[in-house]
Amino acid sequence: MRETVSKFLDYLKTEKGSSQNTIASYERDVNNLINYLESNSLTIGKITNTNLNSYLINLEKMGRAPSTISRNVASIHSYFRYLYKNDMIKQDPSSNLLSPKIEKKLPEVLTMEEVDILLSQPSDNDCKGIRDKAMLEVLYATGIRVSELINLKKDDININLGYIKCNDKKKERIIPMGQVSKDALSNYLDHAREIMIKDPGEDILFVSCLGHKMSRQGFWKIVKSYANKAGIYKKITPHILRHSFATHLVENGADLRSVQEMLGHSDISTTQIYAKMSNNRLKEVYSKAHPRA
């Protein structure tokens, strides 16, 4: 069996052009399988689907994570497909092998109270604070991606009608804004942007302190600094206000189709995670508040 593993690894390297990390993972997974099979006196020609399922059950008993087991299944599939296609075995025992279901981890979100505290941190006494306030308010008001936020152009906003126009890779989205975000944006346009820009022809809406387009990393640092200032020690990412926007909308009765459209999700199954988060929150509230919970 060891010879077949060497040939399989050569195939991954020379014919499939797999990365070193992929080859190393497959080598480790397949060798662990071979060790298990040899300890049970099994040869290549006698391996069955039942044997492979027993191996996966053994991994589970050893406490391996579902993601690790799923990767092992992929390695085993690839190995036995190679053996079968090269006539080293008469049938592929891995053909009906199924990966364990990996439950998607719910994203971190802020509570409504934490959002209020975070968005109250920027100062309105200087251009940077006014800009930061507007960026945070627009992000939470619309749920757009950080990449979309930093790429907004001045012509993409209509404060009078209260909406922004967002162009993602697939289509254009029109997203409404509330009064608070409109006020913050107006304050930025009236009292900060013209001072911050270096080129009068600059069309990017939110500019850095150097007067040019801001980077994702630059905005991430802004969010993190205000979170620390606010005493919020959750894992802060540039996406946290987008997740919070969607979760709070669903918690307050917004229908999933509308949230899907505002977020720009092509598949509603992606949006349904926020309904699950809302349900979890309702259960938590119930268990704390109901006298017979």
Side-chain angles (χ1 to χ4, degrees):
M1 281 194 281
R2 300 294 174 180
E3 289 182 6
T4 64
V5 177
S6 296
K7 291 178 180 178
F8 170 62
L9 297 175
D10 286 339
Y11 157 76
L12 291 177
K13 182 178 181 180
T14 59
E15 294 190 36
K16 291 203 70 177
S18 300
S19 69
Q20 286 298 323
N21 286 338
T22 298
I23 294 172
S25 294
Y26 278 29
E27 180 178 15
R28 182 174 58 251
D29 294 343
V30 174
N31 277 327
N32 286 337
L33 171 66
I34 298 298
N35 291 337
Y36 172 83
L37 296 174
E38 287 181 342
S39 69
N40 286 278
S41 303
L42 290 167
T43 59
I44 284 289
K46 294 184 178 181
I47 298 168
T48 65
N49 184 264
T50 301
N51 299 140
L52 296 180
N53 274 308
S54 296
Y55 174 66
L56 297 180
I57 291 171
N58 186 60
L59 291 180
E60 188 176 353
K61 288 179 179 178
M62 292 169 65
R64 300 293 186 265
S67 57
T68 300
I69 297 174
S70 182
R71 192 201 65 225
N72 270 267
V73 170
S75 301
I76 292 168
H77 271 309
S78 185
Y79 172 62
F80 280 104
R81 275 198 299 267
Y82 166 76
L83 297 181
Y84 179 69
K85 287 180 179 179
N86 288 275
D87 298 321
M88 296 182 193
I89 53 176
K90 293 182 179 180
Q91 58 183 14
D92 181 357
S94 73
S95 57
N96 295 319
L97 211 58
L98 299 176
S99 297
K101 184 177 181 181
I102 301 174
E103 187 172 347
K104 286 186 177 180
K105 187 176 180 181
L106 298 179
E108 186 83 82
V109 298
L110 301 177
T111 64
M112 295 180 197
E113 292 78 12
E114 287 171 332
V115 170
D116 286 340
I117 295 171
L118 177 66
L119 270 55
S120 68
Q121 295 307 309
S123 168
D124 59 359
N125 295 323
D126 56 61
C127 291
K128 180 182 180 302
I130 293 172
R131 179 207 63 190
D132 294 349
K133 171 74 170 177
M135 292 186 79
L136 292 172
E137 289 287 357
V138 168
L139 195 63
Y140 179 63
T142 61
I144 60 175
R145 301 173 181 88
V146 174
S147 57
E148 294 169 338
L149 178 75
I150 62 176
N151 282 300
L152 280 177
K153 294 181 172 57
K154 191 175 179 183
D155 291 341
D156 290 332
I157 62 169
N158 189 316
I159 294 179
N160 291 331
L161 295 180
Y163 72 80
I164 66 169
K165 181 176 65 177
C166 185
N167 295 291
D168 62 20
K169 294 179 181 178
K170 296 179 181 179
K171 64 178 182 178
E172 180 180 282
R173 310 197 310 278
I174 302 297
I175 309 170
M177 290 189 298
Q179 190 60 50
V180 176
S181 57
K182 288 194 293 183
D183 290 344
L185 197 49
S186 294
N187 192 31
Y188 167 65
L189 292 172
D190 292 342
H191 302 107
R193 186 177 182 276
E194 294 303 315
I195 298 173
M196 298 181 77
I197 59 173
K198 302 300 181 186
D199 178 4
E202 177 64 69
D203 61 350
I204 288 293
L205 176 61
F206 294 113
V207 296
S208 70
C209 291
L210 296 176
H212 307 297
K213 179 181 173 181
M214 186 180 296
S215 67
R216 284 175 57 89
Q217 292 81 3
F219 183 71
W220 181 84
K221 290 178 181 178
I222 289 171
V223 176
K224 189 174 181 180
S225 67
Y226 286 126
N228 289 336
K229 188 177 178 182
I232 300 170
Y233 300 108
K234 291 181 177 179
K235 184 179 179 181
I236 297 294
T237 69
H239 235 46
I240 197 166
L241 285 175
R242 176 174 165 87
H243 290 316
S244 302
F245 158 85
T247 303
H248 297 166
L249 278 179
V250 174
E251 282 182 356
N252 286 287
D255 66 276
L256 283 180
R257 287 291 179 189
S258 297
V259 176
Q260 176 192 3
E261 186 174 343
M262 285 184 278
L263 291 175
H265 288 163
S266 57
D267 190 336
I268 197 169
S269 63
T270 309
T271 317
Q272 286 171 338
I273 191 171
Y274 299 110
K276 184 174 183 180
M277 294 173 71
S278 178
N279 289 337
N280 287 348
R281 170 65 178 157
L282 289 174
K283 289 177 183 177
E284 182 183 335
V285 170
Y286 179 89
S287 63
K288 289 182 178 178
H290 197 281
R292 292 184 181 272

